[in-house]
Amino acid sequence: MLDYKLLEALGAVVDQAGFERGAQVLGLTQSAVSQRIKLLEARLGQPVLIRAPRIAPTDLGKRLLNHIQQVRLLEHDLLDYVPSLGDREQRLRIALNADTLATWWAEAVEDFFRDHRVMFDLVVEDQETALKRMRDGEVAACLCMTPRSIQGARARPLGGMRYRPLATPDFMSRYFPNGLDRISLAEAPAVVFGPDDRLQQRYVANHGVTAPLPHHLCPSSEGFYRMIRSGIGYGLVPEIQARAAIDEGELVDLETSSDVIVPLYWHYWRQGGNILEALTQHLTQHARRWLTDLDGFDNPSGVL
C-alpha cells in the first residue's frame, strides 16, 4: 500500500519547486523531506523525481501526483459525514492563462467562493500549454484551447475570448499612415506576451508576414495592455480588457473585422470530488457572461 505521507512530500517538493520550500509547507526539515522521497523511491524501486537541472517528476512521479491530488479532493468530501477527520482547508490548484486571470476570472468565481470553503492555488500558464500541467499532475483543472481531454479527465467548452488588434491613434499614424498592409505590418513593433504566445504570429501570418517581427516581450497581461496604451507597440488585446479605451477612442483597431477568437475549454479530473464538480458546473453556467459563444464557428478547436 502507498504511504501517503511519502506522497505528500513528493507533492510539496514539486508544487514548491524545491526541497527547502516543500519542507516549509509541510512543517518539516529539508532533511526529513529528502528522506521521505528516498524512502518512496526505495519502496517503488524507481525514481520519482528528476533533481537536475531543475526539480521535475518522472513519469511515475507524474502518475503519483495525479493520484494524491485526486485523493485529497475525495478525502475532503468525507468531512461532511465524518467530522472527526478534521477541518483541513480545501485547496484547488488550477492553471489559467494570464488574460483570463486579469479580466473575468475573479468576477466569475465570486459567488462560488462565498458559497464554498475553498482556497485557490492559481498557476499562470498559456492557454496553449496549460494541459501539460494536468498531464504532469501539477493541477486539478486548467483552461486551454484544445477540446480533447487527457486520460482520467473531462473537458467542457466555456466559450471564446475575443481579441482585437489594437494600437493608439498616434501609433497608427506613424506606422500605418496608409492603412494596414504587409510591408507596414512587418516593420511596426508589436507587443508579444511571451515565447509560448502564438496569437501574434498567427495574426501576421494571415496577412502574409512570416519573417521575424520587431517586437517587445512583456509577460504580464496588465503590463502588455499598458504598453499598447502608451503607444509603444500594437498587439492583440482581450476586448473586455480594452472596451473602455476603445469606446473613448484611446485605442483603435488596426483594421475592421479583424477580431480573433480563442476558444477556452475547462479540463478537470473525473475523480476530483464534489468541490471540483461544483466549480465546473458554476463556470459552465456563468463564464458565458464574459466569453463569446462558440456555436456556429467552423473551427472551435483553434484560434479563429
Side-chain angles (χ1 to χ4, degrees):
M1 297 294 292
L2 293 169
D3 186 332
Y4 284 92
K5 288 185 178 179
L6 306 185
L7 293 183
E8 285 185 348
L10 172 63
V13 169
V14 173
D15 287 347
Q16 301 300 316
F19 282 86
E20 183 176 353
R21 289 192 294 270
Q24 292 173 354
V25 169
L26 295 175
L28 300 172
T29 65
Q30 182 174 341
S31 176
V33 170
S34 180
Q35 288 300 317
R36 288 188 180 188
I37 298 296
K38 290 179 181 178
L39 180 57
L40 178 61
E41 292 178 328
R43 290 185 179 180
L44 296 175
Q46 53 185 300
V48 296
L49 279 179
I50 299 170
R51 291 163 171 79
R54 62 180 182 85
I55 295 291
T58 63
D59 288 341
L60 174 60
K62 293 174 185 177
R63 289 182 175 271
L64 293 174
L65 289 171
N66 287 338
H67 176 73
I68 188 60
Q69 188 168 204
Q70 293 176 67
V71 167
R72 288 170 180 167
L73 292 168
L74 292 172
E75 280 182 347
H76 199 272
D77 293 347
L78 295 174
L79 293 178
D80 292 336
Y81 305 97
V82 191
S84 60
L85 288 176
D87 190 25
R88 190 172 64 183
E89 183 180 81
Q90 175 73 312
R91 304 193 71 85
L92 282 179
R93 190 170 173 83
I94 300 168
L96 302 174
N97 60 308
D99 288 339
T100 288
L101 192 56
T103 54
W104 61 271
W105 173 261
E107 292 180 77
V109 299
E110 180 182 1
D111 293 340
F112 180 85
F113 182 78
R114 283 200 297 261
D115 297 337
H116 298 81
R117 297 183 61 186
V118 61
M119 297 292 162
F120 294 119
D121 287 337
L122 301 179
V123 178
V124 178
E125 187 64 82
D126 188 78
Q127 63 267 13
E128 297 199 38
T129 58
L131 196 58
K132 183 179 183 298
R133 293 276 193 166
M134 277 194 71
R135 190 177 291 112
D136 290 350
E138 297 181 45
V139 297
C142 73
L143 279 177
C144 75
M145 290 172 53
T146 177
R148 182 177 298 177
S149 62
I150 61 176
Q151 184 176 2
R154 291 191 176 97
R156 298 272 189 92
L158 295 185
M161 279 194 79
R162 184 182 299 276
Y163 288 77
R164 292 171 66 170
L166 300 174
T168 63
D170 180 65
F171 185 94
M172 292 293 295
S173 65
R174 280 185 291 148
Y175 290 97
F176 303 105
N178 300 314
L180 185 69
D181 57 54
R182 184 173 60 84
I183 295 176
S184 60
L185 192 61
E187 295 176 351
V191 183
V192 178
F193 187 83
D196 291 326
D197 184 5
R198 301 289 183 263
L199 284 180
Q200 187 67 42
Q201 289 85 341
R202 289 193 181 105
Y203 176 76
V204 298
N206 287 337
H207 291 78
V209 180
T210 57
L213 298 170
H215 65 275
H216 308 280
L217 281 177
C218 182
S220 161
S221 184
E222 294 83 356
F224 182 100
Y225 178 53
R226 289 181 67 87
M227 288 183 72
I228 293 171
R229 288 281 303 269
S230 298
I232 295 173
Y234 75 93
L236 288 151
V237 183
E239 185 179 57
I240 54 177
Q241 188 178 32
R243 188 169 292 142
I246 295 171
D247 291 343
E248 294 172 6
E250 297 175 4
L251 290 176
V252 295
D253 291 284
L254 268 63
E255 57 181 329
T256 58
S257 303
S258 58
D259 296 2
V260 176
I261 308 296
V262 175
L264 293 178
Y265 294 86
W266 174 250
H267 292 252
Y268 64 104
W269 292 118
R270 292 179 182 176
Q271 301 297 327
N274 293 337
I275 194 71
L276 189 54
E277 185 65 37
L279 178 58
T280 298
Q281 295 298 327
H282 181 87
L283 290 174
T284 302
Q285 295 172 10
H286 296 283
R288 297 172 186 172
R289 292 172 53 190
W290 297 275
L291 301 178
T292 299
D293 194 342
L294 292 176
D295 291 343
F297 287 103
D298 295 329
N299 181 26
S301 62
V303 177
L304 303 171

